[in-house]
């Protein structure tokens, strides 16, 4: 019988950071892309799907670059109810069409259980965003699906809370989880968040799950994406998720942190990221 206290993990090595319990590394497959196999996976795309044309332009360029996966929000968790909320299911159809046309697996966020089944029918990976990491009914609902999940860290979550959020999904039956460090709230408002780079090896050791980094929401500033991506790769992150836009100055959300599409390929080359190498 498992005698661990209830707030500890039954499925992972530990919920703390003693580093004494390194577990075997797991891999997660999304379409032909494998996370946790050594080579960092590159996910890129707009913060939000804005139109059929916009996502087509972006997906075409990313496919030319052999980026591994496409991202794009259609249900957007915005701080203000007056900000662009995403195109909903109309946007889902646009990103699905672009992803299919350019043969890129795609990830998109779900915020409500009611939307889960329909989104899961079309996307290759479901994103649980920072604000919903604590949404336990939603975590249990994605746990019942056989669909890879990208679980972002809540901006206020401890290592223990994040580990146990992943445990909710796994304990419900879904083991295909990739974790994403996207910055936590700290005292300094100079950057949008503070990237907790230390969380990458800690969560890899605790859970064995692939851990990727989102430098876009971590920093909030496009000029910081390149150096922060380098740091993430250097510390052994299993991937990067980066926001790009064809015209960041006119983006409907997160333009200030989006890398200009025309500059993206050169940036990735400077980082030295090998992309498309071991995809099927
Ligand atoms: C996103 O990746 O689209 C997003 C909203 O990020 P986060 O949940 O980390 O704020
Ligand atoms: Mn965004």
């Amino acid at each position: 019988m498992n005698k661990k206290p209830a707030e500890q993990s039954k499925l992972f090595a530990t919920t703390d950071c003693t580093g004494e319990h390194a577990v075997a590394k797991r891999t997660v497959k999304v379409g032909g892309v494998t996370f946790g196999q050594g080579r960092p996976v590159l996910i890129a795309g707009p913060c939000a799907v804005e139109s059929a044309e916009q996502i087509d332009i972006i997906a075409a360029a990313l496919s030319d670059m052999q980026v591994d996966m496409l991202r794009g929000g259609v249900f957007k968790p915005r701080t203000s109810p007056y900000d662009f909320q995403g195109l909903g299911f109309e946007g889902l159809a646009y990103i699905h069409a672009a992803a299919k046309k350019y043969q890129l697996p795609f990830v998109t966020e779900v915020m409500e259980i009611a939307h889960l089944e329909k989104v899961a029918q079309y996307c290759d990976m479901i994103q649980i965003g920072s604000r919903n990491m604590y949404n336990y009914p939603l975590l249990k609902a994605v746990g019942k699906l056989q669909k890879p999940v990208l679980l972002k860290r809540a901006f206020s979550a401890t290592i223990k809370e994040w580990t146990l959020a992943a445990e909710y999904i796994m304990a419900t039956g879904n083991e295909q989880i990739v974790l994403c460090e996207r910055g936590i709230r700290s005292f300094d408002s100079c950057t949008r968040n503070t990237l907790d780079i230390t969380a990458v090896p800690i969560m890899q050791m605790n859970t064995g799950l692939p851990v990727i980094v989102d430098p876009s929401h971590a920093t909030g500033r496009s000029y910081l994406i390149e150096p922060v991506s380098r740091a993430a790769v250097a510390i052994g992150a299993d991937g990067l998720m980066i926001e790009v836009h064809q015209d960041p100055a006119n983006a409907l959300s997160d333009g200030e942190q989006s890398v200009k599409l025309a500059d993206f390929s050169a940036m990735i080359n400077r980082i030295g990221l090998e992309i498309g190498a071991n995809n099927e």
Side-chain angles (χ1 to χ4, degrees):
M1 195 181 136
N2 195 324
K3 293 220 173 90
K4 281 183 175 180
E7 79 275 11
Q8 287 188 12
S9 176
K10 291 186 181 178
L11 302 174
F12 300 130
T14 180
T15 57
D16 61 30
C17 50
T18 55
E20 288 165 1
H21 314 273
V23 290
K25 231 173 143 57
R26 297 165 187 262
T27 56
V28 174
K29 270 192 86 163
V30 182
V33 177
T34 306
F35 289 83
Q37 228 178 26
R39 183 188 66 87
V41 167
L42 180 60
I43 308 174
C47 176
V49 175
E50 298 175 1
S51 67
E53 296 72 36
Q54 174 241 21
I55 195 68
D56 187 274
I57 290 168
I58 293 175
L62 297 179
S63 159
D64 276 352
M65 284 178 61
Q66 290 198 298
V67 164
D68 301 291
M69 278 183 68
L70 179 66
R71 64 149 285 147
V74 298
F75 296 103
K76 295 301 303 171
R78 304 305 302 281
T79 301
S80 167
Y82 309 113
D83 283 340
F84 177 58
Q85 303 285 306
L87 296 179
F89 289 118
E90 184 189 342
L92 182 65
Y94 296 156
I95 189 170
H96 178 249
K100 211 169 155 195
K101 181 168 167 191
Y102 299 105
Q103 294 185 309
L104 290 165
F106 78 98
V107 56
T108 196
E109 178 166 357
V110 173
M111 296 195 288
E112 297 183 41
I113 291 176
H115 295 160
L116 204 49
E117 205 177 314
K118 182 154 180 203
V119 176
Q121 264 173 28
Y122 292 96
C123 74
D124 301 282
M125 186 181 216
I126 291 184
Q127 177 171 319
I128 302 294
S130 191
R131 289 155 192 81
N132 275 304
M133 189 212 83
Y134 293 110
N135 185 338
Y136 300 117
L138 185 61
L139 298 180
K140 288 187 203 171
V142 293
K144 288 191 190 126
L145 300 176
Q146 286 314 312
K147 184 62 89 175
V149 180
L150 183 63
L151 178 65
K152 298 190 90 174
R153 182 184 190 173
F155 42 72
S156 56
T158 60
I159 291 289
K160 179 184 270 187
E161 288 168 339
W162 191 15
T163 306
L164 290 173
E167 182 123 356
Y168 262 94
I169 299 171
M170 194 167 282
T172 319
N174 189 346
E175 302 199 347
Q176 302 171 77
I177 307 165
V178 174
L179 301 170
C180 180
E181 164 61 41
R182 47 78 74 207
I184 51 175
R185 231 175 227 175
S186 183
F187 54 85
D188 197 337
S189 57
C190 180
T191 50
R192 186 171 178 183
N193 289 284
T194 297
L195 180 68
D196 180 9
I197 196 85
T198 321
V200 175
I202 292 173
M203 292 302 280
Q204 284 170 332
M205 284 171 112
N206 283 8
T207 65
L209 295 170
V211 181
I212 70 166
V213 166
D214 169 355
S216 308
H217 294 89
T219 64
R221 296 180 193 272
S222 58
Y223 79 94
L224 291 172
I225 306 303
E226 182 172 338
V228 171
S229 296
R230 274 183 209 283
V233 172
I235 207 163
D238 295 292
L240 294 168
M241 183 161 77
I242 301 177
E243 286 185 344
V244 299
H245 197 280
Q246 77 285 5
D247 180 14
N250 291 303
L252 296 183
S253 63
D254 286 351
E256 58 299 332
Q257 70 192 33
S258 297
V259 177
K260 202 167 175 202
L261 191 59
D263 299 338
F264 191 53
S265 180
M267 192 197 96
I268 293 302
N269 285 334
R270 284 195 300 274
I271 295 170
L273 216 58
E274 210 190 316
I275 45 181
N278 59 357
N279 296 346
E280 281 170 11

